[in-house]
Amino acid sequence: MNKETTSSKVTKWVLISISFIFIALMLLLPLITVIIEAFKQGWDVYKQAVVDDYTVHAVLLTVEATVFAVIINTVFGLSAAWSLTKFNFKGKKILTTLIDLPVTVSPIIAGLIFLLTFGRQSPLFPILQDLDIKIVFAVPGIVLATIFVTFPFISRELIPVLESRGNDEEEAAALMGAGGFTIFRKVTFPHIKWAFLYGVVLCTARAMGEFGAVSVLSGHLRGKTNTLPLHVEILFNEFQYVPAFAVASILVVMAIIILILRSVIEYTGMRKSNVR
Amino acid sequence: MNQNIFKFAAVASIALSSVLFTACDENKSENKAGEAKVEKQTIVNVSYDPTRELYANYNKVFAKHWKEKSGKDVEITQSHGGSGKQALEVANGLEADVVTLALEFDVDAVRAAGLIEDGWVNEFPLSSAPYTSTIVFLVRKGNPKNLKDWGDIVKPGIGVITPNPKTSGGARWNYLAAWAYAKKLYNGDEAKIKDFIKKLFQNVLVLSSGARGATTAFVENGQGDVLLAWENEAFLSKKDHPDDYEIVVPSVSILAQPSVAIVDKIVDKRGTRDVATEYLNFLYSDEAQHLAAQNHYRPSNKAILDQYKEFDQNVNLVTVEDFGGWAKAQGTHFSNGGVFDQIYEKK
């Protein structure tokens, strides 16, 4: 008996130290390196890199793409989650499977799909040209790619919550004469609020960091179609290591903010649902 | 219930489409604001990997020149990457007013896509090559593995860094330079030459998509014993790290002629032909030729080239004409199923 407890204690500590060492080596060390390298030549060099016109533009473009991705995926995610959990229809299985596609497909494929659909070799291109709409190698392409890679995040968070709840409350509300939007606002949404916010946070994080798909569609035009991750690569390739790390540190800070937000949401969400 | 759902769907779709419309509007108004501000012309220069520093400097000089000449401001947007990849992006719709790529064939790929008119090679002096370069070895200080010529770097155990000839212009020049050496060594015995090239690529540790990626792998990440590099790229690394690297000039190398061209379809659409033409013409001016030399490109103006002692002019330089021109060299060596594929697959 005693022996067993000691051995399980050992197992516990070994497992815990493995997890901590792994996280320290794989996550903390590189993150700390980024920060150290960013400040290697002092605050002034750091500041210069961060307030550089190209960097500011890259930040704005990244924020723009992220905002669009979150808004559009919110609408899509809510509709998809709602329809998949509240009705039965033909093609439901297919829809469920297809939603997950962006998670399984490599981002570079996503980029190439849009390049082939809207690029010069596509039959759509002359029409777009006539309408004076630029998609590939321009901002809309970057927004599209970002939406593509992030679209499952919100619906995937919502579907399990909605599924486990069933339709009873909504049906009761409908019987009492509530309209669809009222039901959504007063009955459904309060239940899925935390899952929804969690999805938004994940979606934001992924959208900000997207590199592969955006890289294919960007054309790497400095000050025009350069997002933050792409800008880091460009700086690195220009032997501007300190600025590269400085810009990377912006991404790290954004990631940390999101991580904190995530924990807050998780914590509050859990407390709220426990109270209920 | 069902009706309510439809209402919700309707609301959702209206919201979605309004978001999309505002997105389009925003882009349009942005464009308008940009046009109205001042009479500022913008051109896009899609270039290859190592020219980042050259064009960063040249663009400033040219903007000043254009302001003096025409009274207008010009803003030049740069894009850099592996030469072949860049050509493909232009062919796929990246709107470049001018392309300044690593070799004639890549510009020709843009022509083949219908964007550049035939005969572009003769549109600017010297086959539209305002500066040239060659291929050299960059080795670690003191040359610890004693790598003096192509024959040394195919020996077993030597780590070679070169970009991928499929996507990089510099890498194609590397390959052809090695081929020229082997051809001379084996008196044109094709089987032996191929074996030589095969050995070379068996030694390759990192095959990056562009020249700059290869340089960072060698210089910053400390991979390999020798970097097959553009002369300008090797000089740049040596300048940044004078105590760490040496340049070795092999007995045979190739005259690398990067080509420039106006993308006719785009300049006509955007009304930028005048500024784009001057942008490329001015590359031949004395000022720009000196600037090229300072950025370690060989000026095409012989008098200016002679002023810069760093360029070894005694190297035996073959040209792509020795391979029957780029169309033939590309077809034989780098097309799908070509000699490079055969060599690289049979490891």
Side-chain angles (χ1 to χ4, degrees):
Chain A
M1 181 77 194
N2 235 347
K3 239 185 191 171
E4 259 186 47
T5 359
T6 3
S7 81
S8 75
K9 243 186 193 165
V10 171
T11 320
K12 177 182 156 194
W13 286 110
V14 166
L15 287 178
I16 289 176
S17 13
I18 287 178
S19 315
F20 266 104
I21 291 171
F22 188 78
I23 285 184
L25 282 179
M26 298 298 294
L27 289 175
L28 289 181
L29 202 68
L31 284 183
I32 292 167
T33 317
V34 169
I35 306 287
I36 291 175
E37 290 284 328
F39 286 100
K40 213 176 182 177
Q41 288 170 19
W43 171 250
D44 284 339
V45 179
Y46 178 85
K47 210 180 102 188
Q48 226 172 21
V50 172
V51 299
D52 178 78
D53 279 352
Y54 288 132
T55 310
V56 172
H57 186 276
V59 173
L60 291 178
L61 181 59
T62 304
V63 170
E64 185 184 341
T66 306
V67 167
F68 274 121
V70 169
I71 293 176
I72 290 172
N73 287 331
T74 298
V75 176
F76 167 78
L78 282 172
S79 330
W82 184 285
S83 54
L84 284 173
T85 50
K86 303 291 172 193
F87 320 111
N88 281 313
F89 54 92
K90 261 192 187 163
K92 186 171 160 174
K93 278 259 164 61
I94 297 176
L95 189 58
T96 320
T97 318
L98 283 182
I99 285 177
D100 281 345
L101 193 71
V103 179
T104 46
V105 158
S106 161
I108 193 142
I109 310 283
L112 288 175
I113 292 168
F114 286 119
L115 192 56
L116 294 177
T117 317
F118 299 114
R120 250 191 97 244
Q121 280 146 2
S122 142
L124 279 177
F125 190 76
I127 305 168
L128 293 172
Q129 199 81 356
D130 286 344
L131 296 171
D132 208 19
I133 297 174
K134 268 208 280 185
I135 295 183
V136 292
F137 307 117
V139 176
I142 291 172
V143 174
L144 271 181
T146 313
I147 293 171
F148 182 91
V149 296
T150 54
F151 86 66
F153 284 95
I154 293 177
S155 53
R156 275 161 64 95
E157 290 301 321
L158 294 181
I159 290 170
V161 182
L162 285 172
E163 239 166 16
S164 65
R165 279 195 57 252
N167 288 347
D168 302 351
E169 288 180 36
E170 278 84 357
E171 273 163 16
L175 280 176
M176 285 183 229
F181 192 64
T182 319
I183 296 179
F184 175 74
R185 209 162 44 89
K186 293 253 166 93
V187 181
T188 314
F189 191 71
H191 284 291
I192 59 168
K193 191 161 69 183
W194 297 108
F196 170 71
L197 284 177
Y198 191 66
V200 168
V201 166
L202 282 184
C203 178
T204 311
R206 183 74 174 80
M208 277 182 347
E210 174 51 26
F211 179 82
V214 168
S215 177
V216 176
L217 288 167
S218 146
H220 303 275
L221 300 171
R222 284 193 97 160
K224 286 200 174 141
T225 59
N226 235 358
T227 62
L228 268 185
L230 298 179
H231 193 52
V232 173
E233 193 206 18
I234 286 194
L235 289 172
F236 189 76
N237 276 337
E238 282 170 7
F239 303 125
Q240 302 190 46
Y241 299 110
V242 172
F245 281 108
V247 175
S249 76
I250 303 177
L251 276 171
V252 171
V253 170
M254 283 162 115
I256 291 173
I257 293 174
I258 285 184
L259 207 65
I260 294 171
L261 267 180
R262 203 195 84 154
S263 310
V264 169
I265 288 170
E266 238 175 10
Y267 178 72
T268 333
M270 242 159 48
R271 229 181 35 178
K272 285 267 162 73
S273 47
N274 280 349
V275 169
R276 271 168 190 273
Chain B
M1 183 75 194
N2 253 348
Q3 248 182 342
N4 293 333
I5 291 314
F6 281 123
K7 258 188 219 162
F8 175 69
V11 170
S13 54
I14 289 168
L16 179 70
S17 45
S18 65
V19 165
L20 283 174
F21 275 118
T22 43
C24 294
D25 279 350
E26 195 187 63
N27 283 334
K28 269 182 197 154
S29 59
E30 244 173 49
N31 283 344
K32 269 178 200 154
E35 276 163 31
K37 242 188 252 164
V38 249
E39 209 189 340
K40 190 173 190 175
Q41 290 173 296
T42 59
I43 56 172
V44 174
N45 175 7
V46 171
S47 192
Y48 61 110
D49 233 354
T51 53
R52 294 165 194 264
E53 292 77 16
L54 170 66
Y55 281 110
N57 292 322
Y58 175 70
N59 288 347
K60 285 180 208 146
V61 173
F62 177 74
K64 210 172 121 231
H65 167 74
W66 184 244
K67 178 88 180 165
E68 279 162 14
K69 192 171 175 191
S70 70
K72 289 177 200 160
D73 287 314
V74 62
E75 189 189 322
I76 302 122
T77 305
Q78 286 297 136
S79 171
H80 295 277
S83 185
K85 182 193 130 231
Q86 294 289 84
L88 199 63
E89 290 200 351
V90 175
N92 271 325
L94 177 58
E95 291 199 349
D97 299 270
V98 297
V99 286
T100 51
L101 296 174
L103 41 87
E104 199 186 303
F105 183 82
D106 289 337
V107 179
D108 219 50
V110 181
R111 178 201 57 79
L115 289 166
I116 296 177
E117 283 159 20
D118 292 349
W120 63 269
V121 183
N122 299 318
E123 209 169 318
F124 294 95
L126 306 164
S127 308
S128 294
Y131 43 81
T132 65
S133 194
T134 181
I135 298 302
V136 297
F137 302 166
L138 190 70
V139 298
R140 310 219 177 261
K141 190 80 185 177
N143 199 354
K145 299 259 166 118
N146 200 24
L147 307 170
K148 296 237 170 73
D149 209 345
W150 294 100
D152 298 322
I153 67 168
V154 299
K155 288 177 185 159
I158 303 295
V160 177
I161 310 286
T162 170
N164 187 342
K166 289 277 185 175
T167 51
S168 156
R172 273 171 272 172
W173 294 113
N174 289 346
Y175 173 104
L176 292 181
W179 187 281
Y181 171 86
K183 192 176 166 190
K184 204 175 146 208
L185 184 70
Y186 298 118
N187 272 325
D189 182 338
E190 191 130 325
K192 281 182 179 164
I193 302 173
K194 279 185 185 169
D195 194 51
F196 184 89
I197 302 288
K198 190 174 158 185
K199 276 191 201 141
L200 174 65
F201 278 92
Q202 275 168 351
N203 278 351
V204 170
L205 300 176
V206 176
L207 204 62
S208 58
S209 74
R212 195 44 70 85
T215 308
T216 24
F218 184 74
V219 173
E220 299 303 324
N221 304 333
Q223 302 279 312
D225 302 304
V226 55
L227 172 73
L228 306 185
W230 290 97
E231 184 181 50
N232 49 279
E233 191 81 348
F235 274 122
L236 191 68
S237 304
K238 209 183 143 197
K239 193 167 80 182
D240 286 349
H241 308 270
D243 303 326
D244 299 334
Y245 301 102
E246 290 183 10
I247 292 172
V248 173
V249 181
S251 65
V252 176
S253 194
I254 191 158
L255 177 71
Q257 293 164 292
S259 300
V260 301
I262 287 175
V263 185
D264 296 292
K265 273 266 172 67
I266 305 294
V267 293
D268 288 344
K269 189 182 130 200
R270 301 186 58 222
T272 48
R273 183 176 282 280
D274 53 344
V275 57
T277 309
E278 186 61 19
Y279 183 78
L280 296 183
N281 258 328
F282 194 64
L283 281 169
Y284 294 88
S285 70
D286 285 1
E287 193 180 359
Q289 289 283 301
H290 278 291
L291 195 67
Q294 284 150 18
N295 284 282
H296 317 296
Y297 291 82
R298 297 187 174 206
S300 57
N301 182 330
K302 184 79 171 60
I304 294 176
L305 173 65
D306 288 340
Q307 294 171 29
Y308 291 84
K309 297 284 169 263
E310 68 176 5
F311 300 114
D312 186 345
Q313 292 193 47
N314 297 320
V315 203
N316 180 4
L317 293 181
V318 300
T319 71
V320 73
E321 295 311 319
D322 296 314
F323 293 86
W326 262 115
K328 187 153 179 283
Q330 181 81 21
T332 316
H333 295 281
F334 308 117
S335 59
N336 283 334
V339 176
F340 175 73
D341 276 348
Q342 295 162 22
I343 286 168
Y344 204 68
E345 273 163 23
K346 279 190 240 151
K347 260 206 161 170

